[in-house]
Amino acid sequence: DTGVSQDPRHKITKRGQNVTFRCDPISEHNRLYWYRQTLGQGPEFLTYFQNEAQLEKSRLLSDRFSAERPKGSFSTLEIQRTEQGDSAMYLCASRTTGAHSYNEQFFGPGTRLTVL
Amino acid sequence: DQQVKQNSPSLSVQEGRISILNCDYTNSMFDYFLWYKKYPAEGPTFLISISSIKDKNEDGRFTVFLNKSAKHLSLHIVPSQPGDSAVYFCAARTSGTYKYIFGTGTRLKVLA
């Protein structure tokens, strides 16, 4: 297993277009997170899945954002009608169940979105 | 409302010396704290964590200290190495929730 992967790594789109990002977590990880990171800031929580269930969603996530994890494995994050303020790095992380430190989140390399 | 704050955006340290990165939090419900390291073009990597029932956790060159009364934690790296040069984020979580709150990061530069 090579870790958490994200696709694409970079996406440039025009304002108003829809974009979709994919995250493939580490295979045995049942928990999956999406974060957004802008310049000079830390990762900002967007949403959390346990298996296929979306258990928490940030209030910062407008109705234009939707995330799915249909089979409890890979996940997609879609942004509809993109705005320039959506330009950011979108990070995915996964982890297993359990309170031990070795169960902490493993992050993917991120998808950098630029909205023109 | 920034619940986790890293007030030093950058820090430079000589190789072999101690690096001390600081983090303050405002939410007294936080009971689990973590440090992540991030290299350019990579996602953050988990470094070390501490539960609120402890005041110190050590892993090799890395030690995290927690002062609950001051709502402050710090990461000590001894001795610092050039490969430690990265952005360090502290994060916090409350038991029973799934949300991790991250600070804004401190860029550490270890000078050879």
Side-chain angles (χ1 to χ4, degrees):
Chain A
D1 196 338
T2 56
V4 179
S5 61
Q6 293 187 244
D7 183 69
R9 294 290 304 273
H10 303 273
K11 178 70 176 179
I12 300 174
T13 191
K14 292 183 179 179
R15 189 176 53 186
Q17 298 294 305
N18 299 344
V19 294
T20 300
F21 309 141
R22 176 178 170 125
C23 171
D24 286 273
I26 293 172
S27 58
E28 64 269 25
H29 287 186
N30 63 337
R31 300 185 178 191
L32 188 145
Y33 300 77
W34 284 99
Y35 292 87
R36 177 174 64 189
Q37 185 178 15
T38 54
L39 196 63
Q41 301 296 315
E44 181 180 35
F45 172 84
L46 292 179
T47 191
Y48 162 75
F49 289 87
Q50 184 163 316
N51 299 311
E52 66 275 8
Q54 187 174 20
L55 297 186
E56 190 161 356
K57 186 175 174 180
S58 170
R59 288 173 295 174
L60 300 170
L61 220 60
S62 74
D63 291 343
R64 298 184 297 106
F65 287 71
S66 62
E68 293 183 341
R69 196 182 182 199
K71 298 181 181 178
S73 56
F74 73 92
S75 176
T76 58
L77 177 68
E78 181 183 16
I79 309 174
Q80 296 182 327
R81 305 181 304 281
T82 52
E83 301 172 357
Q84 287 184 326
D86 297 331
S87 296
M89 176 73 81
Y90 289 84
L91 293 163
C92 175
S94 70
R95 60 168 289 187
T96 58
T97 302
H100 296 286
S101 62
Y102 51 77
N103 289 329
E104 276 312 323
Q105 298 175 91
F106 288 79
F107 279 85
T111 294
R112 180 167 295 285
L113 173 66
T114 302
V115 181
L116 302 176
Chain B
D1 177 25
Q2 191 71 31
Q3 298 184 66
V4 178
K5 301 177 185 179
Q6 293 177 258
N7 293 319
S8 298
S10 64
L11 174 68
S12 291
V13 172
Q14 283 296 131
E15 181 179 7
R17 305 296 289 267
I18 184 171
S19 295
I20 300 176
L21 297 96
N22 294 304
C23 179
D24 297 292
Y25 61 96
T26 58
N27 188 339
S28 57
M29 298 298 291
F30 289 148
D31 56 8
Y32 188 64
F33 305 88
L34 312 91
W35 285 94
Y36 284 83
K37 177 171 70 175
K38 185 181 184 305
Y39 293 119
E42 295 182 10
T45 302
F46 170 73
L47 200 54
I48 192 169
S49 63
I50 187 167
S51 165
S52 60
I53 63 173
K54 295 185 175 182
D55 54 19
K56 176 182 174 182
N57 187 28
E58 190 172 353
D59 183 2
R61 297 186 297 113
F62 303 91
T63 303
V64 56
F65 295 91
L66 176 62
N67 182 334
K68 289 185 291 293
S69 61
K71 295 190 177 67
H72 177 83
L73 66 156
S74 61
L75 175 68
H76 293 210
I77 307 173
V78 184
S80 301
Q81 300 173 353
D84 296 329
S85 297
V87 177
Y88 289 78
F89 293 100
C90 67
R93 180 170 64 90
T94 302
S95 291
T97 70
Y98 313 109
K99 184 188 293 189
Y100 292 74
I101 308 297
F102 283 77
T104 53
T106 296
R107 182 177 302 277
L108 172 66
K109 188 171 185 179
V110 180
L111 307 169

